[in-house]
């Protein structure tokens, strides 16, 4: 006979915070799974081609995905920090209240509700934590970190391209601000049921990023990986290329500046789906480097540093 363990408060917690309001599998989740499956197809093949152990592919993928979601959530909390911990009339304890109340201040994103929700993911947090997790795994198992990271680059580029399509089809928040340009695919009016019903044409930044990342995948998959570059050349190239692409895209995205160079929009906080989204998107503009842009610059500099220090444009000598 099995004994049922009753944990006080568990059922109400699950009903309130996990099971309530669930509307089925999202399109974003489906595309994330497709991205994972695509990477799980290409990575073992590349490890075999490079005479590396393909049995590590599963752990590299699992840790990469896990690190991605953990880091993306952590960076998202930093991004909305000023909305979570605020001076609100009638509430004592600016820092204590969000810690003790799951949903945070009324009308504001909560710390715990944001951390455990299915939305709100910042790519660079996921990118850095994913790299950290798989690097620690490789160090622990005494693997050639440079060679394994090179082997993972095509899969990373493809996975990111598919994931950005997931952001687009779900109507997520990685959109651009309003534009008068009318360019097929590059501009788009979000549908009313999306997370951000704009009603005005905006820059279609998710599809832009996806397209560029697909180009990176083709470059690495069809050409660069066969050039016998020095170890970590592909990794350093990817850092520079992806950093430049993200740096440029961010000029069109709705993101607050860390240190504003120009007067920021009057409505500085991104409104919810029921807010004045149309006015907000029309009134938004780039006013200084965002968190992602500063991280992009750092990643570009790191990639260039390794390219120059190790002369990674050179090729390994061909064995006799």
């Amino acid at each position: 006979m099995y004994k049922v363990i009753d944990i006080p408060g568990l059922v109400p917690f699950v009903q309130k915070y996990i099971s309530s309001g669930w509307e089925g599998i999202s399109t974003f989740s489906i595309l994330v799974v497709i991205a994972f499956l695509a990477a799980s197809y290409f990575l073992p093949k590349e490890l075999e081609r490079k005479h590396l152990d393909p049995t590590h592919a599963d752990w590299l993928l699992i840790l990469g995905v896990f690190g991605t979601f953990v880091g993306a959530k952590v960076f998202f909390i930093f991004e909305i920090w000023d909305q979570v911990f605020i001076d609100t009339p009638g509430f004592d304890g600016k820092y204590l209240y969000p810690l003790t109340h799951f949903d945070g201040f009324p009308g504001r994103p909560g710390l715990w509700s944001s951390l455990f929700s299915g939305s709100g993911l910042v790519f660079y947090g996921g990118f850095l934590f994913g790299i950290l997790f798989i690097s620690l795994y490789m160090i622990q198992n005494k693997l050639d970190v440079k060679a394994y990271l090179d082997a993972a680059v095509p899969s990373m580029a493809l996975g990111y391209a598919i994931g950005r399509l997931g952001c687009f089809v779900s109507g997520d928040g990685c959109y651009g601000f309003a534009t008068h340009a009318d360019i097929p695919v590059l501009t788009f009016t979000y549908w009313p049921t999306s997370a951000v019903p704009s009603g005005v044409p905006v820059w279609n930044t998710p599809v832009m990023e996806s397209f560029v990342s697909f180009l990176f995948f083709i470059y690495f998959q069809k050409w660069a990986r066969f050039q016998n570059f020095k170890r970590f050349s592909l990794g350093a190239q990817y850092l520079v290329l992806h950093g430049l692409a993200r740096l440029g895209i961010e000029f069109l995205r709705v993101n607050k500046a860390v240190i504003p160079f120009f007067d920021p929009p009057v409505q500085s906080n991104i409104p919810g789906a029921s807010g004045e989204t149309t006015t907000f998107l029309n009134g938004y503009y780039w006013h200084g480097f965002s968190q992602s842009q500063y991280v992009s610059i750092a990643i570009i500099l790191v990639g260039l540093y390794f390219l120059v220090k190790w002369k990674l444009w050179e090729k390994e000598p061909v064995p006799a």
Side-chain angles (χ1 to χ4, degrees):
M1 296 290 293
Y2 291 102
K3 181 180 180 181
V4 178
I5 300 177
D6 180 23
I7 302 177
L10 177 62
V11 173
F13 178 86
V14 171
Q15 290 176 338
K16 181 176 181 181
Y17 297 123
I18 297 179
S19 63
S20 63
W22 188 74
E23 298 179 354
I25 300 174
S26 66
T27 50
F28 176 77
S29 301
I30 293 172
L31 282 166
V32 167
V33 172
I34 293 174
F36 177 82
L37 294 175
S40 66
Y41 173 79
F42 285 104
L43 180 56
K45 289 182 177 296
E46 181 62 7
L47 291 176
E48 288 181 358
R49 192 190 70 83
K50 294 174 72 71
H51 305 293
L52 301 172
D53 188 355
T55 60
H56 293 287
D58 288 342
W59 273 112
L60 293 176
L61 289 168
I62 291 171
L63 290 173
V65 171
F66 179 70
T68 294
F69 281 104
V70 170
K73 273 297 181 181
V74 170
F75 269 58
F76 175 66
I77 295 300
F78 280 113
E79 196 172 77
I80 63 171
W81 196 258
D82 61 329
Q83 300 177 59
V84 173
F85 295 96
I86 58 174
D87 288 317
T88 302
F91 289 91
D92 295 326
K94 173 180 178 181
Y95 296 101
L96 181 62
Y97 192 89
L99 295 177
T100 56
H101 293 71
F102 189 87
D103 293 317
F105 290 105
R108 297 284 180 171
L111 174 64
W112 306 115
S113 59
S114 298
L115 193 61
F116 293 105
S117 69
S119 60
L121 300 172
V122 176
F123 165 73
Y124 270 135
F127 180 80
L128 296 175
F129 272 64
I131 293 292
L132 173 64
F133 279 31
I134 63 176
S135 296
L136 291 175
Y137 172 83
M138 289 186 286
I139 293 171
Q140 175 67 28
N141 288 274
K142 297 180 172 60
L143 304 179
D144 188 335
V145 177
K146 296 178 184 178
Y148 275 82
L149 286 178
D150 275 348
V153 163
S155 297
M156 291 169 61
L158 180 60
Y160 184 73
I162 298 174
R164 271 297 177 227
L165 287 179
C167 294
F168 170 68
V169 298
S170 66
D172 205 349
C174 51
Y175 46 86
F177 47 77
T179 175
H180 294 296
D182 185 11
I183 307 172
V185 180
L186 298 185
T187 59
F188 181 77
T189 302
Y190 275 91
W191 45 87
T193 56
S194 65
V196 186
S198 66
V200 295
V202 297
W203 290 108
N204 197 351
T205 50
V207 169
M208 292 180 188
E209 283 192 90
S210 178
F211 176 74
V212 172
S213 195
F214 271 119
L215 292 180
F216 292 162
F217 167 71
I218 293 172
Y219 165 73
F220 287 112
Q221 180 71 13
K222 298 298 183 181
W223 186 80
R225 67 190 182 111
F226 299 115
Q227 300 308 304
N228 202 35
F229 288 119
K230 286 184 175 180
R231 288 177 305 149
F232 197 59
S233 176
L234 298 191
Q237 289 181 53
Y238 182 69
L239 291 178
V240 174
L241 290 173
H242 182 84
L244 288 171
R246 185 58 184 264
L247 178 65
I249 290 291
E250 285 289 309
F251 284 106
L252 301 176
R253 282 191 62 199
V254 176
N255 266 328
K256 291 183 293 183
V258 176
I259 303 175
F261 296 160
F262 310 106
D263 292 335
V266 176
Q267 197 170 13
S268 59
N269 286 329
I270 298 175
S274 60
E276 294 294 331
T277 317
T278 302
T279 303
F280 171 72
L281 291 171
N282 273 309
Y284 213 88
Y285 53 87
W286 185 87
H287 52 283
F289 288 114
S290 65
Q291 172 183 282
S292 293
Q293 285 183 308
Y294 281 114
V295 176
S296 296
I297 293 171
I299 286 177
I300 293 168
L301 293 176
V302 169
L304 289 174
Y305 171 78
F306 286 121
L307 280 170
V308 174
K309 179 182 180 181
W310 293 333
K311 298 181 179 179
L312 296 179
W313 58 84
E314 298 179 351
K315 298 184 178 181
E316 298 281 6
V318 179

